[in-house]
Amino acid sequence: MVVLSQPALNQLSHIKTCKPTNLVSEIPVIDLSDPQAKTLIVKACEEFGFFKVVNHGVPLEFMTKLETEALTFFKLPQSEKDRAGPPDPFGYGSKRIGTNGDVGWIEYLLLNTNPDVISPKSLSIFQENPVIFRSAVNNYISAVKNLCFELLELMADGLGIQPRNVLSKLLRDEKSDSCFRLNHYPPCPELQALSGRNLIGFGEHTDPQMISVLRSNNTSGLQICLKDGTWVSVPPDYTSFFINVGDSLQVMTNGRFRSVKHRVMADTMKSRVSMIYFGGPPLNEKIAPLPSLMRKEEESLYKEFTWCEYKKAVYKSRLSDYRLGPFEKC
Ligand code: AKG
């Protein structure tokens, strides 16, 4: 079993008070073969900022192969994993998330998905286990990127805006600032028993990019926050993808789509492995409401900013900060 070095209990975050979480069956499920998919996606993005996708066309083999490779990496001795870290922000990290004091019961690998700017640390990971790991990552990412483009085009169709690649072109751009994260949450029986409370794997946050495509193994832990502030558990499904609307897409739709707050609870008995593709626009791209979506005399809810400016602000913030706040018009 992989054991993260044990931090002092008070360094880790717990859920102190929380309404009972429900296993919701009403999380929207979008079947991509359904002719109504575009309408249902828009509804899900408005209501939840979150949905599950089935019949997505990504071979299960790509998902399970990468999961196996990720576990092989996470099972390496700590000293070997540490050679791929600390994250800069790319590379291997453990417990510390970002540089502003957020901690969680997690270890992870953050990779850049733009081959021409892949960081030296990311390369060292591939050099350990070059052919198999690299091809598992590449196969998975290229399939998930295509799914992401399709989802963004369905969103444009559902919103009734033209051209239909108005969103997807930002991620298709070779300068797209997207990244990919492999997360591992080891089981935590002792810590949980000691604290008697639920241990946080990944603290609550919204994703700053446009869209995130998440796949996990069959261990639960992911929770999303509904519009009314209730936290609900997302039943895991290793064959499907879960889609998060990110802050940038919320701005591009002038608040019509909702960037979903989410978090992960560690499991006492089972390890959770998740893999997330975060689709971000090019650094110099202006993040602003799409003109084709604005109604007559509708005003932007946000100040003007580029993705680079927003990203810099995010890096300086804590996970749970309301990071869009300073960019909203008063
Ligand atoms: C993140 O990496 O930003 C997450 O929210 C993790 C979600 C998960 O591991 O299921």
Side-chain angles (χ1 to χ4, degrees), residues 11 17 30 64 84 99 121 131-132 139 173 176 204 211 229 242 253 273 280 293 302 322:
Q11 275 186 284
T17 53
I30 310 293
T64 50
T99 52
K121 279 189 199 111
V131 183
I132 304 175
N139 287 340
D173 192 310
S176 148
E204 67 178 69
I211 184 170
F242 293 93
T253 57
V273 179
L293 199 55
Y302 305 93
Y322 178 51

Side-chain angles (χ1 to χ4, degrees), residues 181 183 185 202 205 207 214 222 262 264 272 274 276 278:
R181 186 172 185 122
N183 289 330
Y185 306 87
F202 206 122
H205 65 287
D207 293 335
L214 181 150
L222 179 64
H262 56 288
V264 179
R272 174 177 169 89
S274 62
I276 306 122
F278 300 96

Side-chain angles (χ1 to χ4, degrees), residues 69-110:
E69 287 306 310
L71 275 171
T72 305
F73 174 81
F74 288 122
K75 278 183 190 148
L76 288 173
Q78 192 63 45
S79 57
E80 282 191 46
K81 290 186 283 190
D82 284 340
R83 283 172 46 206
D88 64 356
F90 300 110
Y92 171 77
S94 160
K95 296 189 295 291
R96 278 184 199 29
I97 302 170
T99 52
N100 302 309
D102 287 298
V103 286
W105 189 246
I106 186 175
E107 56 179 344
Y108 61 88
L109 261 180
L110 186 61

Side-chain angles (χ1 to χ4, degrees), residues 115-134:
D116 53 339
V117 280
I118 204 157
S119 76
K121 279 189 199 111
S122 305
L123 282 175
S124 83
I125 299 155
F126 291 128
Q127 278 152 14
E128 286 297 312
N129 190 353
V131 183
I132 304 175
F133 197 4
R134 190 198 291 247

Side-chain angles (χ1 to χ4, degrees), residues 165-321:
N165 71 348
V166 63
L167 295 167
S168 64
K169 71 176 183 199
L170 302 175
L171 301 196
R172 288 182 189 273
D173 192 310
E174 60 178 15
K175 293 208 171 84
S176 148
D177 184 38
S178 298
C179 59
F180 181 62
R181 186 172 185 122
L182 290 165
N183 289 330
H184 178 223
Y185 306 87
C188 54
E190 302 89 359
L191 279 174
Q192 197 123 325
L194 273 173
S195 72
R197 287 180 294 183
N198 293 323
L199 190 63
I200 293 190
F202 206 122
E204 67 178 69
H205 65 287
T206 56
D207 293 335
Q209 293 86 355
M210 293 169 63
I211 184 170
S212 315
V213 182
L214 181 150
R215 185 264 173 191
S216 76
N217 66 354
N218 241 1
T219 301
S220 59
L222 179 64
Q223 300 183 343
I224 61 166
C225 187
L226 303 182
K227 265 185 178 166
D228 67 0
T230 315
W231 285 95
V232 292
S233 298
V234 177
D237 176 353
Y238 71 98
T239 64
S240 300
F241 289 98
F242 293 93
I243 311 301
N244 290 357
V245 170
D247 298 340
S248 300
L249 194 52
Q250 174 172 317
V251 176
M252 288 172 183
T253 57
N254 207 24
R256 190 158 158 192
F257 286 4
R258 181 173 172 262
S259 162
V260 65
K261 214 194 290 177
H262 56 288
R263 67 187 182 195
V264 179
M265 308 309 296
D267 193 286
T268 43
M269 302 312 286
K270 285 162 71 191
S271 87
R272 174 177 169 89
V273 179
S274 62
M275 34 189 91
I276 306 122
Y277 170 76
F278 300 96
L283 284 171
N284 60 4
E285 186 68 31
K286 241 200 245 162
I287 308 296
L290 296 167
S292 51
L293 199 55
M294 298 291 269
R295 297 188 186 95
K296 214 167 156 228
E297 295 184 15
E298 181 176 343
E299 290 201 6
S300 171
L301 299 173
Y302 305 93
K303 299 172 190 164
E304 278 203 358
F305 57 96
T306 61
W307 167 238
C308 182
E309 286 164 334
Y310 189 54
K311 193 171 149 177
K312 272 193 195 146
V314 166
Y315 276 131
K316 286 190 198 138
S317 67
R318 297 289 301 257
L319 272 180
S320 64
D321 289 345

